[in-house]
Amino acid sequence: LVFKNENKEQPYGMEIYDTKGNLMREIDFSMEYDEIEFLGNNEICIWNNLECSIYTLRGMQRFHYNFEKDIYLNKKHYGTGS
C-alpha cells in the first residue's frame, strides 16, 4: 500500500505485506512517483519520468538517479514501452 504521510520530509509511505497479510516493512520516501513495482530480485522500483529509486525489502535505498531526459520517451524509443 502507498499513502501520504504527515511527515513533510518523507511525504509518502509504503507498507509491504507478506502473502498471509502480515506487515513486513514500512518505507517512507519523498520522491514524486508515477509507478511502483516489485522487481524479481526482491527489490522495489519507484519511478517517474525523470527519477528512479530502488529499495530493498528491508527498506534500504540501493539506487537513486535523476535523469536529464524523460525516461518514458526513452522506453518508447527502444520499443519496450506501451
Side-chain angles (χ1 to χ4, degrees):
L1 297 171
V2 178
F3 52 89
K4 286 201 171 207
N5 274 335
E6 293 180 16
N7 179 345
K8 294 185 183 199
E9 289 182 26
Q10 303 287 318
Y12 300 104
M14 179 177 4
E15 294 178 346
I16 301 167
Y17 294 84
D18 65 16
T19 57
K20 295 180 181 179
N22 299 311
L23 180 62
M24 292 176 45
R25 179 70 52 203
E26 295 179 67
I27 299 172
D28 293 329
F29 60 98
S30 61
M31 188 178 115
E32 293 288 328
Y33 66 94
D34 291 331
E35 301 210 25
I36 298 174
E37 73 175 278
F38 285 96
L39 303 176
N41 56 354
N42 292 321
E43 294 177 328
I44 301 162
C45 184
I46 304 170
W47 76 89
N48 62 38
N49 63 323
L50 292 173
E51 287 181 88
C52 178
S53 287
I54 297 176
Y55 289 84
T56 67
L57 288 181
R58 292 183 179 175
M60 288 183 47
Q61 187 178 52
R62 295 194 73 191
F63 174 81
H64 179 85
Y65 192 79
N66 290 308
F67 297 91
E68 292 180 18
K69 295 183 180 181
D70 188 323
I71 60 177
Y72 288 123
L73 293 176
N74 290 335
K75 280 176 70 175
K76 289 180 181 178
H77 175 74
Y78 290 106
T80 57
S82 50

